[in-house]
Each structure stands twice: as structure tokens, then as C-alpha cells.
Amino acid sequence: MENEPLIDEALKSELALLYRAEDRHYHSLAHIGAMLALAEEYRRLLHDRSAVEAAIWFHDAVYDSRAKDNEAKSAALAEQKLSGRTTPERLAHIAVMINATATHQLPPLDDEKATSDAALFLDMDLAILGAEPDAFDAYEKAVRREYGWVEEPMWRTGRAAVLRSFLARPHIFHTAEFRQHLEPRARQNLERSLAALEG
């Protein structure tokens, strides 16, 4: 059971439908594809690649920009759909990783390997912050479209608070690999975006 991929083609098709919803401008299949590509790129560092890939596929499965419990609902969906496909312990690790995307703080896990995988997973999810300026700007526009119902002054205040909270952290990324490659540009992108929001 452990060696089988957790996400089969039927489940991929089912999840792909959710990611193709019209109101998804950033949290779409393209985002999942980008994260899966990073999982492939960093596969030598992953201890349980199948579990990380399952977390990638499910982490934004439920996405409503008006809701506050998307991560919890996505984790619950993962537990429901993957029940019987793997051990309860592994399923718990997947759920913990998904829930951690609510804050992008490293979750408390009793297992060093699971913690390492969670750190990489969270960094993959935030890799866009350290993208080239054009790609980062396109991401910002896409997220704004997902929150199209929020009036501009409220959006600026809320988004600025989110960006400031990331900038206030000692490190945006949890792993040495991502810090080395993406941290400086992520800070530049966030500072530039913050200046535009507050300008």
C-alpha cells in the first residue's frame, strides 16, 4: 500500500475539476503544476514524495476567497478521499501539511523527516514570492481578481498586512535551499508590492 501513488488518475481528474473553477485565477491547476514541478526538482530532499504530492494536490482543493476555513476543509477532503489508501499516520501528516498553509508556519510534527517534508512543501507553495518581478506581478493581479468582491481600500489594507507579516519574519522560507535561491528576491518583490499598496 505504501508504494502505490496516493493520487491515481481518477482522483487527479476529480481534483482538476475543482481547480478549473472560473473564480480561480491563481489557485488553479497551473499553481498545482508549478508545485509538482518543484517537488520533482527537489525530489532528492523529500523523504515521502507521494505524501507531499498528495498534499500539493489537495491543499487548495477547497477555495472560497470569502471563507476562513479553506485549509481545514481541504485537509478534511484529503482525509476522506485518501482514507484506506495509506496508513492513518501518513494521512495525518498530509492533513497537517495542508492545514499549515493557513499560516505558513512550520507545524509541530514528532517526526524529523515529516517536518523536513512539511518545510519543503510550504516553501514550494510560497515559491511564487521569489519569482521574477513579471511573474510575481502576474500572481498579485491574479490574487486580486480572486478577491474582486473586496473594495479597493479594504483590499489595500488587508493585503498590506499580509505582506508586512511575511517581511517581519526572520525568514520567509523554511529551508536553506529556498532561502538561498529565493529569499532576497521575495523580499524585494514584497517590499515593491507593499510600496504600491501604500502609495
Side-chain angles (χ1 to χ4, degrees), residues 131-144:
E132 294 291 344
D134 286 356
F136 175 82
D137 291 347
Y139 148 75
E140 288 275 84
K141 286 192 182 83
V143 171
R144 179 66 182 105

Side-chain angles (χ1 to χ4, degrees), residues 80-96:
Q80 180 203 329
K81 295 288 183 184
L82 299 174
S83 174
R85 294 188 188 211
T86 187
T87 62
E89 185 190 28
R90 206 158 164 234
L91 203 48
H93 285 164
I94 292 167
V96 165

Side-chain angles (χ1 to χ4, degrees), residues 10 25 41 46 72 99 108 111 117 143 146-147 154 167 189:
H25 304 285
E41 188 180 333
L46 292 172
N99 275 309
D111 176 338
D117 280 356
V143 171
E146 289 181 340
Y147 284 85
M154 206 171 159
L167 284 167
N189 282 333

Side-chain angles (χ1 to χ4, degrees), residues 94-111:
I94 292 167
V96 165
M97 282 193 275
I98 294 167
N99 275 309
T101 61
T103 61
H104 282 93
Q105 303 283 9
L106 204 52
L109 283 157
D110 48 7
D111 176 338

Side-chain angles (χ1 to χ4, degrees), residues 91-193:
L91 203 48
H93 285 164
I94 292 167
V96 165
M97 282 193 275
I98 294 167
N99 275 309
T101 61
T103 61
H104 282 93
Q105 303 283 9
L106 204 52
L109 283 157
D110 48 7
D111 176 338
E112 209 174 293
K113 289 177 177 175
T115 302
S116 170
D117 280 356
L120 274 162
F121 163 75
L122 290 172
D123 283 359
M124 290 171 196
D125 192 31
L126 288 186
I128 188 67
L129 299 183
E132 294 291 344
D134 286 356
F136 175 82
D137 291 347
Y139 148 75
E140 288 275 84
K141 286 192 182 83
V143 171
R144 179 66 182 105
R145 286 176 73 195
E146 289 181 340
Y147 284 85
W149 55 275
V150 179
E151 295 197 12
E152 190 64 15
M154 206 171 159
W155 165 258
R156 284 173 178 261
T157 306
R159 187 66 180 168
V162 170
L163 301 188
R164 267 200 301 274
S165 75
F166 278 117
L167 284 167
R169 295 182 182 195
H171 301 285
I172 293 168
F173 297 102
H174 298 287
T175 63
E177 286 72 22
F178 279 76
R179 281 179 199 165
Q180 200 179 333
H181 295 121
L182 298 180
E183 184 92 18
R185 194 161 56 213
R187 289 193 175 273
Q188 287 167 3
N189 282 333
L190 292 175
E191 280 162 6
R192 187 166 50 81
S193 183

